[in-house]
Structure formats: structure tokens, C-alpha cells
């Protein structure tokens, strides 16, 4: 079993697929939609395809959608030309048959063991990047997973966290066993949270600079470019899919870049390097002649222009010695927040 | 895509409320880009605390601010890097389509007038303001009538008043979706011969040379009644009228507060009317209409109230986007070109 260089773990609903499940009607609609009806976010398909076709990269999908939707979801991914190495769904029918209704909505007791099982079930990669969204507890689950692997959360604390997350006893026991067995290491390089609800990005600052909230997949691609995971051509592949969608323009892509700079998620030197690389590009390969898309020189100019417009304004600094995350409080807060949303009729 | 430039530093509650309003607009307007001009560090620290769409917001740094109490001419001369000057400059350079500011009115108007060109056929720009009336108008059931000029210039010739009428009608038809707005001249009597020479001459010109729905003269008392949709006057008169109407409104509110404290029976009466008063307040809430457009320049400029909070800024941005998308300045230009052609055709 050859170990991949980098593993990318993706959520599906609201991360890759534009899914509504705030009401019963939304849930029914989502369940009866065909693969062709399902819509991916602009740029997400290009990004996932780029990652899945790069040598040494492995794509694992871990979704809270029920296993009964495997056929239609797999068909959607096939339609989009996305290949993957693992595809894990939630066995909610089993939860219903066992009368475990709390588990139907539970995020952490489902997703954390799924992530640990995936890591423990194959040759461990030295680097991982995780993709989730702001609709559920992805930020908490992914940070917890990262801190567990890095040894920053001990198993006693993990048991308390799972208790706060209303996990059943056997789920707690299984998760603890998986945590003990999973190959450890400070391997989670980046957590990307798609702001489907347009949540204020500052709300995620507590999770530290490793977690980057993004408004769109051009921002995700920019972060991966800065991390050395994507090159400039792969990044433009994502950008062009977004332009093709008609929902983005060169200006909105450049604004997305500036937004990351203002939030201290992307340095001006990285943007200028990207602009240099884009400006020096010629058409060919993935970016073969597309006269309908902006010329490389125009793209490069738009990017450097956004840097210039900030005139060196300093973004907020990150604390040099951040406090460790208090997962029990985070889980309690998330639980209260979800209950409040349900009371207001938002899922 | 409509590119709305926003002076993020102008206004009593800037930059916080301005940035909030723009953030909300980035979610509410599906096809707009908001260009926030001001202190990039402050704006950059404010935006992440708000729900918004980061792809639709762009920040352009400006190091200086014209304060609300500064003298416009002197302030602009002393502060070449003022946010309002940079903002107007961006629109002039083709980087934006329309401008919104809640800052110093004089400085905002002056910055636009110095940086932008007048629409061909316009001699003087006019600042328009809306006023709540009894009657509703247009497809939007708009309760507001438009008064212009309310202070961009002091005096106006008959030609200027006719231009103001054409500009006001174009704005009302686009923003209030009032296809054929009733246009009137403000005077001291409804008869055609009443008023100063410029008004009498303008009356004649509006009747003979335009195809506007000109209903003649109206008096001050007709403004709150909503007799006309567009009321035309010179800047001196318009400013006096507007301030007086605002003063009357504030006095009514103060009297109601006094009545509320003074007698139990009056208090009960006011309580019985409370839902109706709340509805009236909602209808006449100036924060809902966005701001006052400066008409006659080659780009739309919406001057939001200095006391604007986020909802008023969002609405001002929506109005600016609508004016830009509907090519308000083009409408005005075509209206003036038609007037010119008609007058040339009828010349002996």
C-alpha cells in the first residue's frame, strides 16, 4: 500500500453540492433530486477534479447524507468527472431501526470516527487538507480531528467532548478505539470552510490560522496555491470554471483575492508571485485557447491592482501563542445554537 | 454588474454603519460590486465581523477624511487623499458606475462637480430630495414625491428649472417606476403668471417645449398632499422648504411626546393610535428611501443622510444600483436632447 503525499477530505452537502435542508420540504426535494438536478458550487468541480487527478493526491468524501443516496450522489460525481478514493455516507436507516434518533442529527459522533477510520484504514499521508462548511459543526470536527492526531487532545478529554456531543456509549467507545489506532502526527495542514450561510469570517478566528473560511472556491484554490498544493495553472482551471458559470467575473475573483489578503489569509508576496506566473503563461493544456475568457495579462493586472489598492494596509495579526481550543464549550455552544435555529424553523 | 463606489468614511456613524450597509447590500444585490473607499485597515477589521459576500466587496484605501463640519472647498483643497475625492475619482476613471456617500454634503457635491462632467445640455446639477405625501404613486406605490433643487445651487434660470424638471421626471420614472410622473413648479400661486420671472418663464417653456406631464404650479401646501410627483424650484427655495418640512415633522413628534406626558386621556388616545402611528412612521421613514440623488452629472450620485445607519446605506446603494442599471444619466441626456431638438424644430 503506497502512502499518498496528501489526502483531501471533503464534505458534500453545502461544501461541494448546493443543498438546502433547512426545512422538511428541502429535505424531500434533496432526496428526490436526480443526479443531473444536483448543482455543485462554481469552481468546486474543477478543484476536486484537479486534486483527484494529481499524482500522489487522494480524495476521500465523508458526507452526512444517508447511504440510500449513494447511487444518485455517485452518479452526480461521475457526471462531474470527479473520481475519488473513498466515499463514506451515514447509515441513518440503521439509526432509525435501532431507535437512535439523537444520532440522526449528530455531527461529531458520526463524522469524527468516520475520519479516524479513514485515516487508520489506509497508508497514512504526511499531509491532509479538509473541506467543510459553516452549516454544521465541520469546523469543530475537523479541528478536533487535527488536534487528536497531533496529540493536542488526550483521550480522556475526547471522552468528555463526545459526552457533550450527545454520543451514545458505544459510539464513544468506538471513537476512542479509532483514536488510539489512528496513525498520529501533526498532519492536518489546512481546513477550508465554505461559507455557505455567509457567516461572518471572524467567527472562525478562534480556530486559528490553519482554518480558512472561504466565500467561494477561487479563495480555496488561492489558499492551496499559497500552501504549494496547487500550481498557478490549476488555480486558473478553478477560476475559469467559475467564470464559465456566469456567477463570477474577473472583478469578483480579484475581490475574493483581496478579501483573503485583508483577513491575513494570503500575503501580498504570494499574490504578486501568482500574478507574475499568470502573466507569463501561454495558452495550452488545461487552459487551451479560450478567446471568451480574459487574457492572462489582464488577469495578472487585476490581481496586482487589488494589492495596490490596499496601499500596504496591515491586516490583523495572528496571536503568536494561541490558547488551546476548549472543545467541550465549543460543542455545547454549537448544540445550543442548533437548537435555537431549529426553534426558529431553520433546520 | 453594477459597480457602486461607497465613501466608507462619510457620515455621523462612519465607517461602522456604512460598512454594515454595504455588507448587507453585497448579499441583497445579486449583480453588484461594492467598492468601499476609506481606511483599508479599519474597513478590513470591520468586514469580517459581518455577514457579507467577500467576492462582491472591494476596498480602496484612502488616507484622509472630510469631516462633517469642515468647509467643503477648503477641506478638499487640503485633503487630496480624502475618501470622497478618491471615490469620485474612481467613478470618473471608469472604475465604478455610481457613488454613494453619507458624508459632508457640500464636500460630496463639490467633489463630484469637480471630478465629473455635466450631462450635455445641463448647466447646473440639482440635488433632489424625497418627501412623504398622502398619495401613493407609480408601480411601487411610492409615497414619496421628489423635490429639486434642494441646495446644489442658490439661483436657477428658467432654462435651469426646465432642465431640473426633465431630470426629476427621469429619476421618478426610473426609481419610483412612475411611467408618467406629474411635474410641477413650486410657486406662490397656481396661476401661470404667479411667481418670479424665472418661474413664469419656465412655466411657459415646460408647456410649450416639453412632453412632460406638467401640471402647472403648486403651492407649498400641495407638497405634503402629494399633488405632484416632481416639484421643481431653485436651490434656495428648495432648501428652505425642505428644512421647514423637516422642522414641522420634528415639532409634531415633540408635541406628541408632550401630550403623552401631560394628560392620561391624551396618553390613552395616543396609545389607541399607536399601531397607525407606527405604520405612518414606517411609511415615512427616511432610512427607507436611501438618499438624495444629485442629478445632472454624467454619473449617478446618491447623497445619503448624514445620520444614516446601515439600512439607509443599503437602500442608498440599491437606489444607486437601480439608477446605474437603468441608465438614469442616459435618460436625462436623451430627454434634454429631445428638448433641444424640439426647440430647434419650432424655431422660426
Amino acid at each position: 500500500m503506497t502512502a499518498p503525499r496528501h489526502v483531501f477530505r471533503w464534505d458534500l452537502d453545502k461544501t461541494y453540492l448546493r443543498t438546502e435542508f433547512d426545512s422538511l420540504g428541502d429535505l424531500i426535494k434533496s432526496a428526490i433530486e436526480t443526479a443531473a438536478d444536483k448543482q455543485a458550487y462554481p469552481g468546486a468541480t474543477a478543484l476536486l477534479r484537479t486534486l483527484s487527478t494529481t499524482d500522489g493526491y487522494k480524495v476521500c468524501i465523508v458526507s452526512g447524507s444517508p447511504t440510500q443516496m449513494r447511487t444518485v450522489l455517485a452518479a452526480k460525481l461521475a457526471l462531474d468527472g470527479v473520481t475519488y478514493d473513498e466515499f463514506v455516507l451515514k447509515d441513518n436507516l440503521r439509526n432509525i431501526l435501532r431507535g437512535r434518533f439523537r444520532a440522526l442529527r449528530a455531527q461529531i459522533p458520526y463524522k469524527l470516527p468516520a475520519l479516524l477510520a479513514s485515516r487508520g484504514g489506509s497508508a497514512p499521508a504526511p499531509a491532509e487538507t479538509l473541506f467543510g462548511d459553516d452549516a454544521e459543526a465541520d469546523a469543530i470536527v475537523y479541528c478536533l480531528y487535527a488536534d487528536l492526531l497531533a496529540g493536542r487532545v488526550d483521550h480522556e478529554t475526547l471522552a468528555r467532548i463526545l459526552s457533550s456531543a450527545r454520543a451514545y456509549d458505544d459510539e464513544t467507545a468506538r471513537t476512542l478505539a479509532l483514536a488510539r489506532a489512528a496513525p498520529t502526527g501533526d498532519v492536518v495542514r489546512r481546513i477550508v470552510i465554505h461559507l455557505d450561510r455567509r457567516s461572518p469570517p471572524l467567527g472562525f478566528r478562534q480556530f486559528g490560522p490553519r482554518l480558512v473560511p472561504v466565500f467561494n472556491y477561487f479563495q480555496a484554490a488561492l489558499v492551496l496555491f499559497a500552501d504549494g498544493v496547487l500550481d498557478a495553472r490549476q488555480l486558473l482551471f478553478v477560476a475559469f470554471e467559475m467564470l464559465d458559470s456566469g456567477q463570477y467575473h474577473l472583478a469578483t475573483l480579484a475581490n475574493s483575492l483581496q478579501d483573503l489578503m485583508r483577513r491575513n489569509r494570503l500575503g501580498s508576496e504570494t499574490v504578486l508571485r501568482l500574478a507574475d506566473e499568470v502573466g507569463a503563461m501561454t495558452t495550452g493544456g488545461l487552459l487551451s485557447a479560450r478567446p471568451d475568457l480574459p487574457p492572462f495579462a489582464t488577469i495578472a493586472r487585476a490581481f496586482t491592482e487589488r494589492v495596490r489598492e490596499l496601499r500596504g494596509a496591515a491586516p490583523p495579526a495572528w496571536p503568536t501563542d494561541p490558547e488551546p481550543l476548549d472543545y467541550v464549550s465549543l460543542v455545547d455552544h454549537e448544540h445550543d445554537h442548533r437548537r435555537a435555529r431549529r426553534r426558529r424553523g431553520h433546520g | 454588474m453594477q459597480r457602486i463606489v461607497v465613501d466608507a468614511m462619510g457620515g455621523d456613524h462612519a465607517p461602522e454603519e456604512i460598512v454594515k450597509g454595504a455588507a448587507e447590500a453585497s448579499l441583497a444585490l445579486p449583480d453588484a460590486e461594492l467598492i468601499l473607499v476609506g481606511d483599508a485597515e479599519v474597513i478590513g477589521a470591520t468586514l469580517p465581523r459581518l455577514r457579507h459576500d467577500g467576492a462582491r466587496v472591494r476596498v480602496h484605501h484612502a488616507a484622509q477624511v472630510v469631516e462633517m463640519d469642515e468647509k467643503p472647498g477648503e477641506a478638499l483643497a487640503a485633503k487630496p487623499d480624502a475618501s470622497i475625492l478618491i471615490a469620485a475619482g474612481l467613478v470618473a476613471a471608469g472604475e465604478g458606475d455610481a457613488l454613494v456617500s453619507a458624508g459632508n454634503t457640500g464636500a460630496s457635491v463639490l467633489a463630484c462637480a469637480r471630478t465629473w462632467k455635466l450631462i450635455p445640455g445641463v448647466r447646473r446639477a440639482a440635488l433632489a430630495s424625497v418627501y412623504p405625501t398622502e398619495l401613493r404613486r407609480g408601480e411601487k406605490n411610492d409615497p414619496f414625491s421628489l423635490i429639486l433643487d434642494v441646495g446644489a445651487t442658490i439661483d436657477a434660470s428658467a432654462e435651469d428649472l426646465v432642465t431640473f424638471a426633465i431630470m426629476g421626471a427621469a429619476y421618478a420614472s426610473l426609481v419610483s417606476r412612475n411611467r408618467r410622473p406629474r411635474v410641477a413648479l413650486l410657486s406662490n400661486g397656481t396661476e401661470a403668471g404667479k411667481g418670479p420671472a424665472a418661474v413664469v418663464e419656465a412655466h411657459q417653456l415646460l408647456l410649450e417645449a416639453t412632453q412632460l406631464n406638467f401640471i402647472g404650479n403648486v403651492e407649498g401646501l400641495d407638497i405634503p398632499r402629494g399633488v405632484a410627483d416632481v416639484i421643481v424650484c431653485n436651490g434656495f427655495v428648495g432648501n428652505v422648504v425642505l428644512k421647514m418640512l423637516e422642522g414641522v415633522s420634528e415639532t409634531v413628534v415633540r408635541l406628541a411626546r408632550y401630550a403623552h406626558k401631560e394628560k392620561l386621556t391624551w396618553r390613552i388616545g395616543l396609545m389607541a393610535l399607536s399601531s397607525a402611528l407606527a405604520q405612518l412612521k414606517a411609511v415615512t421613514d427616511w432610512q427607507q428611501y436611501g438618499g438624495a440623488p444629485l442629478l445632472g452629472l454624467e454619473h449617478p450620485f446618491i447623497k445619503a443622510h448624514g445620520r444614516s445607519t446601515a439600512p439607509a446605506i443599503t437602500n442608498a446603494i440599491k437606489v444607486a444600483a437601480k439608477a446605474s442599471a437603468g441608465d438614469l444619466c442616459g435618460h436625462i441626456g436623451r430627454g434634454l436632447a429631445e428638448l433641444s431638438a424640439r426647440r430647434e424644430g419650432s424655431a422660426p
Side-chain angles (χ1 to χ4, degrees):
Chain A
M1 195 160 51
T2 314
R5 277 192 294 137
H6 203 125
V7 169
F8 300 87
R9 302 193 188 280
W10 280 72
D11 180 33
L12 271 188
D13 294 315
K14 295 187 184 276
T15 300
Y16 178 71
L17 290 175
R18 202 185 284 275
T19 319
E20 295 299 328
F21 43 71
D22 285 347
S23 67
L24 184 63
D26 290 338
L27 277 173
I28 294 168
K29 182 171 172 269
S30 173
I32 61 173
E33 263 180 345
T34 64
D37 292 334
K38 292 195 177 291
Q39 295 289 315
Y41 291 98
T45 303
L47 179 56
L48 204 40
R49 280 173 63 189
T50 300
L51 295 174
S52 64
T53 52
T54 302
D55 277 349
Y57 287 1
K58 179 178 169 182
V59 171
C60 302
I61 296 170
V62 179
S63 165
S65 287
T67 46
Q68 290 72 26
M69 289 190 67
R70 179 176 293 277
T71 311
V72 71
L73 291 173
K76 169 61 183 166
L77 292 166
L79 271 178
D80 288 349
V82 172
T83 55
Y84 45 84
D85 300 277
E86 269 183 61
F87 188 10
V88 181
L89 294 170
K90 191 174 182 182
D91 193 352
N92 260 345
L93 182 62
R94 187 161 171 264
N95 284 326
I96 292 169
L97 293 175
R98 294 172 70 192
R100 299 171 71 140
F101 299 107
R102 211 164 67 211
L104 293 177
R105 285 180 181 274
Q107 292 293 311
I108 297 164
Y110 160 68
K111 214 158 202 178
L112 184 62
L115 293 168
L116 291 167
S118 172
R119 177 151 178 92
S122 56
E128 295 197 9
T129 295
L130 318 176
F131 291 84
D133 59 71
D134 60 345
E136 293 169 327
D138 286 349
I140 301 172
V141 180
Y142 286 165
C143 286
L144 176 57
Y145 169 73
D147 283 347
L148 260 177
L149 295 185
R152 286 187 286 268
V153 172
D154 59 44
H155 295 161
E156 199 179 312
T157 308
L158 176 59
R160 281 205 305 279
I161 296 165
L162 289 166
S163 165
S164 266
R166 282 79 178 161
Y168 289 96
D169 289 347
D170 60 338
E171 285 175 331
T172 300
R174 178 169 173 261
T175 308
L176 285 166
L178 286 166
R180 283 189 199 99
T184 54
D186 200 357
V187 294
V188 177
R189 298 276 180 267
R190 185 65 67 193
I191 297 169
V192 178
I193 294 293
H194 177 236
L195 296 172
D196 175 73
R197 292 187 195 278
R198 298 289 181 251
S199 306
L202 197 71
F204 295 89
R205 197 173 162 83
Q206 59 186 321
F207 296 106
R210 179 177 51 193
L211 185 147
V212 185
V214 297
F215 289 103
N216 54 59
Y217 280 95
F218 182 61
Q219 290 194 323
L222 282 166
V223 171
L224 297 185
F225 173 79
D227 288 349
V229 170
L230 294 185
D231 62 29
R233 292 184 82 81
Q234 290 171 314
L235 177 127
L236 283 193
F237 184 53
V238 175
F240 285 174
E241 183 184 272
M242 293 172 72
L243 294 175
D244 278 339
S245 75
Q247 296 172 47
Y248 290 87
H249 309 271
L250 179 55
T252 50
L253 296 184
N255 293 343
S256 303
L257 174 148
Q258 197 201 48
D259 170 68
L260 286 179
M261 288 182 64
R262 292 195 309 265
R263 289 195 271 135
N264 202 3
R265 304 296 190 156
L266 193 65
S268 56
E269 66 292 343
T270 306
V271 177
L272 296 175
R273 176 166 61 85
L274 171 66
D276 281 348
E277 289 182 30
V278 170
M281 274 184 190
T282 51
T283 51
L286 285 174
L287 306 175
S288 56
R290 287 285 306 270
D292 55 322
L293 293 171
F296 295 127
T298 307
I299 298 171
R301 204 165 42 245
F303 292 172
T304 46
E305 188 67 11
R306 291 300 189 276
V307 177
R308 194 186 61 77
E309 285 173 358
L310 292 177
R311 287 207 243 158
W318 288 99
T320 47
D321 193 16
E323 288 282 306
L325 288 169
D326 177 355
Y327 285 104
V328 173
S329 297
L330 284 170
V331 169
D332 284 342
H333 180 264
E334 198 273 336
H335 182 74
D336 294 344
H337 179 68
R338 281 213 297 154
R339 282 184 61 170
R341 276 184 60 80
R342 276 207 299 276
R343 273 200 296 273
R344 292 198 305 267
H346 295 290
Chain B
M1 188 166 65
Q2 305 308 313
R3 300 163 305 165
I4 312 301
V5 179
V6 180
D7 171 13
M9 310 309 284
D12 294 345
H13 305 294
E16 180 85 17
E17 290 294 316
I18 314 298
V19 175
K20 265 189 198 172
E24 179 55 36
S26 76
L27 299 174
L29 294 172
D31 199 25
E33 179 189 16
L34 289 316
I35 305 170
L36 298 179
V37 181
D39 186 325
E41 258 180 66
V42 175
I43 299 169
T46 307
L47 268 172
R49 290 194 272 117
L50 308 166
R51 285 188 78 241
H52 69 287
D53 184 347
R56 301 196 177 281
V57 181
R58 168 179 164 191
V59 176
H60 193 110
H61 182 73
Q64 294 172 309
V65 184
V66 174
E67 302 297 343
M68 297 300 273
D69 54 357
E70 282 190 272
K71 286 188 178 167
E74 289 172 17
L76 292 183
K79 296 177 174 177
D81 205 14
S83 56
I84 186 62
L85 266 180
I86 302 280
L90 282 174
V91 178
E95 293 277 308
D97 301 310
L99 173 62
V100 171
S101 176
N104 183 316
T105 304
S108 304
V109 170
L110 199 56
C112 292
R114 282 185 183 173
T115 322
W116 302 351
K117 288 180 191 148
L118 288 165
I119 294 169
V122 177
R123 281 193 335 132
R124 293 165 187 225
L127 195 60
S129 181
V130 294
Y131 190 79
T133 66
E134 275 178 56
L135 290 178
R136 302 286 183 117
R137 50 187 61 78
E139 285 174 33
K140 281 174 61 192
N141 222 8
D142 198 336
F144 297 104
S145 63
L146 190 75
I147 309 174
L148 76 167
D149 174 24
V150 292
T153 51
I154 295 296
D155 209 357
S157 66
E159 293 284 340
D160 293 330
L161 293 173
V162 172
T163 306
F164 295 172
I166 289 171
M167 297 195 303
Y171 183 85
S173 62
L174 186 74
V175 175
S176 301
R177 284 193 236 131
N178 186 352
R179 264 181 267 174
R180 201 152 160 70
R182 294 160 302 164
V183 179
L185 281 165
L186 183 63
S187 191
N188 58 335
T190 55
E191 299 86 346
K194 279 281 179 76
V199 173
V200 174
E201 192 186 339
H203 190 286
Q204 195 67 18
L205 285 171
L206 281 164
L207 276 178
E208 289 172 0
T210 72
Q211 290 191 320
L212 296 175
N213 185 11
F214 178 57
I215 61 168
N217 291 356
V218 291
E219 296 177 280
L221 75 165
D222 294 321
I223 298 174
R225 286 178 182 165
V227 170
D229 306 320
V230 177
I231 297 145
V232 177
C233 54
N234 70 34
F236 176 77
V237 172
N239 197 271
V240 170
V241 165
L242 194 71
K243 296 277 165 63
M244 198 198 76
L245 289 170
E246 281 179 6
V248 169
S249 300
E250 284 172 14
T251 305
V252 168
V253 172
R254 271 202 297 274
L255 283 173
R257 283 198 189 122
Y258 165 78
H260 190 266
K261 282 182 194 161
E262 198 64 12
K263 271 189 176 180
L264 181 64
T265 48
W266 291 357
R267 195 177 307 165
I268 292 166
L270 282 169
M271 280 167 71
L273 284 171
S274 62
S275 65
L277 289 173
Q279 205 172 348
L280 183 69
K281 187 174 180 296
V283 167
T284 59
D285 182 6
W286 60 268
Q287 302 239 29
Q288 296 302 316
Y289 64 73
L294 180 67
L295 301 172
L297 294 167
E298 60 183 343
H299 308 285
F301 167 52
I302 306 298
K303 174 63 188 68
H305 203 294
R307 296 200 306 266
S308 290
T309 54
I313 296 299
T314 306
N315 287 325
I317 291 170
K318 285 180 182 174
V319 170
K322 191 186 272 190
S324 167
D327 188 21
L328 172 66
C329 300
H331 270 282
I332 292 172
R334 284 189 290 278
L336 290 168
E338 275 173 29
L339 171 70
S340 173
R342 198 170 298 116
R343 293 172 78 180
E344 278 170 20
S346 64

